[in-house]
């Protein structure tokens, strides 16, 4: 199976499963048939990421290719998909930002008539454009080291997502943990930790 197809399946299946497990488990446990109603919305980036990692492992092992070499290729192009995905969120009025009085605030009529941060555009800029530029500069601006793109993606995306979460309205049924951390922030902290572990692992092996 080609890697793009495996990755797409990972995004779709993992995104839905991640949403069920991370964001609304109690509801879906009581209404299991609703899990299949993807047209009603509900996808989680971090769940999709986990399944894409599994898809990369499967593809690499099956084709006897270094896992990190495949992971680097997927990580490098991922910001492009994230950019257009966040633009779609903005157009659909999904994942809206917090109420604000900044001059560039946007009203999302499907949500309410209050002016809100266009947090989807913040994420498109940070997780899409800026992250893509960082990977280009740091990966191709110096001698390539396998795994660099993978750990940079994990660390940088996690940081940018945490910044974006400051302006994004938390899920109503979840809110904040400890009145401070959203679910997205917690999962992104785990991403950063994973990237740092990979970085330390490669450094200890003198591969970076």
């Amino acid at each position: 199976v080609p890697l793009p197809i495996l990755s797409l399946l990972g995004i779709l299946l993992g995104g839905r499963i991640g949403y069920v497990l991370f964001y609304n488990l109690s509801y879906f446990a009581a209404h299991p048939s609703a899990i299949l109603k993807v047209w009603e919305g509900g996808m989680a980036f971090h769940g999709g990421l986990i399944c894409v990692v599994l898809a990369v492992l499967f593809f690499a092992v099956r084709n006897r290719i270094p896992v990190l070499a495949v992971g680097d290729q997927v990580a490098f192009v991922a910001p492009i998909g994230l950019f257009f995905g966040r633009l779609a969120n903005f157009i659909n009025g999904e994942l809206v930002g917090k109420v604000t009085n900044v001059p560039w605030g946007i009203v999302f009529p499907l949500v309410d008539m209050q002016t809100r941060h266009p947090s989807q555009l913040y994420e498109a800029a940070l997780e899409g454009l800026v992250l893509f530029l960082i990977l280009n500069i740091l990966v191709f601006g110096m001698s390539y080291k396998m795994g660099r793109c993978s750990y940079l993606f994990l660390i940088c995306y996690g940081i940018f997502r945490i910044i974006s979460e400051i302006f994004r309205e938390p899920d109503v049924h979840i809110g904040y943990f400890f009145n401070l951390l959203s679910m997205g922030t917690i999962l992104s902290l785990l991403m950063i930790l994973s990237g740092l572990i990979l970085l330390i692992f490669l450094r200890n092996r003198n591969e970076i």
Side-chain angles (χ1 to χ4, degrees), residues 10 14 18 27 30 61 63 72-73 98 107 112 121 123 125 137 148 154 160-161 173 180 184 187 200 202 208:
Y27 172 80
V61 172
N63 292 279
D72 284 350
Q73 295 181 47
K98 296 177 180 177
V107 174
D112 53 34
L121 299 184
E123 292 190 69
I137 293 170
R148 179 181 292 156
L154 292 170
F160 292 150
R161 177 63 182 270
H173 57 284
L180 180 64
L187 295 172
I200 294 170
L202 293 173
I208 62 172

Side-chain angles (χ1 to χ4, degrees), residues 94-99 108 116-120 167-169:
E94 306 164 337
L95 310 177
V96 298
K98 296 177 180 177
V99 175
F108 296 94
R116 297 177 175 275
H117 280 288
S119 57
Q120 312 97 322
F167 304 97
R168 180 169 159 178
E169 192 74 40

Side-chain angles (χ1 to χ4, degrees), residues 91-163:
I91 293 171
N92 294 332
E94 306 164 337
L95 310 177
V96 298
K98 296 177 180 177
V99 175
T100 182
N101 58 4
V102 297
W104 58 85
I106 299 290
V107 174
F108 296 94
L110 296 180
V111 178
D112 53 34
M113 297 308 294
Q114 299 190 78
T115 303
R116 297 177 175 275
H117 280 288
S119 57
Q120 312 97 322
L121 299 184
Y122 301 167
E123 292 190 69
L126 291 173
E127 302 165 8
L129 297 178
V130 176
L131 182 52
F132 185 72
L133 289 174
I134 288 175
L135 295 181
N136 265 278
I137 293 170
L138 296 183
V139 172
F140 292 106
M142 56 186 73
S143 59
Y144 172 73
K145 296 290 185 180
M146 189 167 60
R148 179 181 292 156
C149 197
S150 295
Y151 70 70
L152 282 174
F153 175 84
L154 292 170
I155 295 171
C156 292
Y157 176 91
I159 293 172
F160 292 150
R161 177 63 182 270
I162 290 172
I163 294 173

